[in-house]
Amino acid sequence: MELSALTAVSPVDGRYGSKTAALRSIFSEFGLIRFRVEVEIRWLQQLSEHPQIKEVPAFSSEANGLLDKIVSEFSEADALRVKEIESTTNHDVKAVEYFIKESFKGHTELENVSEFVHFACTSEDINNLSHALMLGNGRDQVVVPQLREIIQAITQLAHDFAEHPMLSRTHGQTASPTTLGKEMANVAARLKRQLTQIQAVETLGKINGAVGNYNAHFSAYPEIDWQANAEAFVNRLGLSWNPYTTQIEPHDYIAELFDAVARFNTILIDFDRDVWGYISQGYFKQRTIEGEVGSSTMPHKVNPIDFENSEGNLGIANAILSHLAAKLPISRWQRDLTDSTVLRNLGVGFGHSLIAYQATLKGISKLQVNEKRLDDDLENSWEVLAEPIQTVMRRYDIDEPYEKLKALTRGKTITKETLSAFVDTLEMPEEAKNQLKQLTPQNYIGNAASQAKAI
């Protein structure tokens, strides 16, 4: 069978391929090869600009133009050629080196310096920088825009429903009222904090040879400050330089990034489950879409499938992200190869995350508030006003306020009239009694509305 959306083993490239397509040019085999080519070309250009490496004279504008073109016009056909070379070399990075040398044929200036392609590099010099470029581009170009879209959508819910009173539930039991918008604002605030942390993670890189000491570099050019050169090169790629490594960049920053994304995802799981519950409670209705089916046997159903799909994919994403975050910083001595196959999965956790993000957004777009259901729930829960009554009783030094309200309300059906009669028995100013009698489950919301509007 040929590979297609129908035959792909992973749903990331199969069933949900349209939702993860933006990641393909970055995290696919093609993407990895493309970034490797870019790193190799930029390293050769860096060498040509160093005045102490006379064997690689400063390139002409024509030579630099050709080098830039190899990077900017790198195609799937080019990647296939690299794979053809690899079938002989059985080494993926060496195949990139040979591809670049092959691309120099017919250009004397570049052919003369072809042996400086991959100069003093170990494969991991090229790989770690490629992985950092993949992660930086994937995060900034694909993932972060989706995170912002989710935060904006939930923030909009906060604003739209800022003044819609809603019964809270703690431990599953009725509790002091809030507003639907305030509960959305809580989530938006949490997600904003995680987005800041995701964006703050530095993508690190190194280019210091086989064990991190520039051994080969100094053997050829002992007079050059190779550390300064490495820092300049890594920064030139838009990355932060890691001066202390073994053969591999230790991947701590990858763990930091994936842990931060996993925290964002965990908060979104919390949101998905809460909205699922609000739909079950009837607080939200879901806008129906013509032609959609909720159940193969129960025609009436409009299931919260988008939030369920999101929750499931976020769980898979976090399992992958968490494994990579725990595994990648560990390597035996100066290097073992267990990270290599794991690093092939850098985009998979992001893929399942994207599927989830789009499902959540679709679910949000269907939500319609059911004001009557919200009000009915509040109207049947006058017991929640025991809290403000016993609090005001404390102000006026009435004995055992909590205990008296507990005796009045716990496990009993409470009405407006029950509370009003109780308030009339209290020894406090009439103005205070009247203020208590004005309270309802619908207006006892503190500053929930203003908090929701402020997010």
Side-chain angles (χ1 to χ4, degrees):
M1 299 177 77
E2 291 191 9
L3 181 63
S4 71
L6 288 174
T7 60
V9 172
S10 170
V12 169
D13 293 309
R15 181 178 181 85
Y16 303 117
S18 63
K19 303 181 187 304
T20 61
L23 296 173
R24 288 179 184 167
S25 65
I26 300 171
F27 290 105
S28 61
E29 184 76 0
F30 165 82
L32 176 57
I33 295 171
R34 179 170 63 90
F35 284 117
R36 283 170 169 164
V37 169
E38 179 178 355
V39 172
E40 293 277 17
I41 292 293
R42 299 307 179 211
W43 178 239
L44 183 63
Q45 289 175 314
Q46 177 86 0
L47 296 176
S48 78
E49 294 170 8
H50 202 293
Q52 292 175 277
I53 306 178
K54 302 186 184 304
E55 290 75 13
V56 188
F59 289 137
S60 66
S61 58
E62 180 187 354
N64 271 320
L66 177 59
L67 292 171
D68 291 341
K69 188 176 179 181
I70 292 172
V71 174
S72 64
E73 297 185 7
F74 188 79
S75 65
E76 288 186 49
D78 292 330
L80 286 171
R81 176 57 188 150
V82 173
K83 297 302 289 184
E84 287 175 7
I85 298 170
E86 185 186 342
S87 68
T88 299
T89 63
N90 197 31
H91 196 289
D92 48 5
V93 177
K94 202 67 178 175
V96 169
E97 177 187 341
Y98 288 166
F99 166 80
I100 292 172
K101 289 179 177 179
E102 189 176 271
S103 301
F104 290 174
K105 287 182 180 177
H107 195 288
T108 304
E109 184 180 355
L110 294 176
E111 284 184 326
N112 288 339
V113 297
S114 63
E115 289 308 320
F116 280 85
V117 175
H118 200 71
F119 176 77
C121 291
T122 183
S123 296
E124 192 56 26
D125 284 328
I126 308 305
N127 284 334
N128 89 94
L129 295 170
S130 300
H131 292 140
L133 290 171
M134 292 166 72
L135 287 168
N137 280 272
R139 174 188 62 183
D140 299 339
Q141 295 177 17
V142 182
V143 176
V144 165
Q146 287 272 285
L147 304 186
R148 286 181 175 145
E149 191 174 350
I150 286 173
I151 292 170
Q152 179 55 43
I154 296 174
T155 299
Q156 190 62 52
L157 293 178
H159 294 166
D160 291 346
F161 305 139
E163 297 185 359
H164 286 64
M166 181 184 85
L167 185 66
S168 294
R169 281 183 168 79
T170 59
H171 309 280
Q173 307 302 305
T174 58
S176 300
T178 181
T179 71
L180 188 53
K182 168 55 171 39
E183 299 316 296
M184 301 297 115
N186 291 341
V187 178
R190 296 172 68 193
L191 292 177
K192 283 182 179 181
R193 183 169 179 271
Q194 295 311 316
L195 175 57
T196 298
Q197 295 190 30
I198 290 168
Q199 293 178 292
V201 175
E202 292 183 281
T203 45
L204 302 181
K206 69 97 182 182
I207 187 160
N208 51 13
V211 292
N213 303 326
Y214 307 93
N215 304 45
H217 306 67
F218 282 112
S219 69
Y221 295 95
E223 70 281 5
I224 290 178
D225 185 346
W226 284 107
Q227 278 195 300
N229 185 70
E231 181 176 10
F233 177 66
V234 171
N235 292 341
R236 177 179 182 175
L237 292 174
L239 306 173
S240 297
W241 178 54
N242 187 346
Y244 288 95
T245 79
T246 58
Q247 183 177 108
I248 64 171
E249 199 289 323
H251 311 317
D252 298 339
Y253 83 90
I254 300 179
E256 293 165 9
L257 175 60
F258 285 175
D259 281 340
V261 173
R263 286 195 299 274
F264 186 101
N265 290 352
T266 297
I267 294 168
L268 198 59
I269 290 172
D270 197 26
F271 172 80
D272 288 336
R273 290 178 178 175
D274 280 356
V275 174
W276 186 98
Y278 294 144
I279 292 170
S280 179
Q281 287 285 104
Y283 291 176
F284 282 123
K285 298 177 183 178
Q286 295 180 96
R287 189 177 294 107
T288 57
I289 296 177
E290 185 68 29
E292 278 195 356
V293 174
S295 166
S296 63
T297 187
M298 293 174 280
H300 71 283
K301 296 193 75 179
V302 185
N303 293 329
I305 56 173
D306 299 306
F307 298 104
E308 293 170 336
N309 180 295
S310 175
E311 180 183 340
N313 274 287
L314 290 170
I316 296 172
N318 279 8
I320 295 168
L321 295 170
S322 297
H323 174 67
L324 268 64
K327 187 274 158 294
L328 288 175
I330 299 171
S331 183
R332 295 173 181 87
W333 295 341
Q334 284 67 54
R335 200 270 162 91
D336 68 45
L337 204 62
T338 55
D339 67 328
S340 179
T341 188
V342 175
L343 286 162
R344 297 280 180 179
N345 295 276
L346 286 181
V348 180
F350 282 166
H352 282 285
S353 296
L354 285 187
I355 296 166
Y357 301 156
Q358 291 171 65
T360 294
L361 287 167
K362 184 178 179 181
I364 289 172
S365 73
K366 297 178 183 178
L367 294 177
Q368 295 176 310
V369 68
N370 185 346
E371 294 186 46
K372 184 178 184 305
R373 182 69 184 88
L374 286 167
D375 188 66
D376 287 348
D377 231 11
L378 289 162
E379 194 59 33
N380 290 324
S381 304
W382 281 83
E383 70 273 8
V384 298
L385 297 183
E387 179 188 52
I389 293 173
Q390 66 95 5
T391 302
V392 173
M393 288 169 66
R394 291 173 189 272
R395 175 183 176 181
Y396 291 105
D397 200 27
I398 297 174
D399 289 341
E400 299 184 327
Y402 177 90
E403 289 73 19
K404 289 175 180 176
L405 266 299
K406 177 183 173 183
L408 176 71
T409 62
R410 197 173 194 213
K412 299 175 183 178
T413 300
I414 302 299
T415 65
K416 177 180 180 179
E417 291 72 26
T418 306
L419 295 179
S420 181
F422 177 80
V423 169
D424 282 336
T425 69
L426 300 176
E427 294 184 8
M428 63 173 63
E430 286 301 315
E431 182 181 0
K433 290 182 181 181
N434 289 334
Q435 288 175 347
L436 285 175
K437 290 179 182 180
Q438 293 301 311
L439 287 177
T440 68
Q442 289 85 350
N443 66 24
Y444 180 56
I445 58 172
N447 70 344
S450 61
Q451 287 194 59
K453 293 174 183 177
I455 191 67

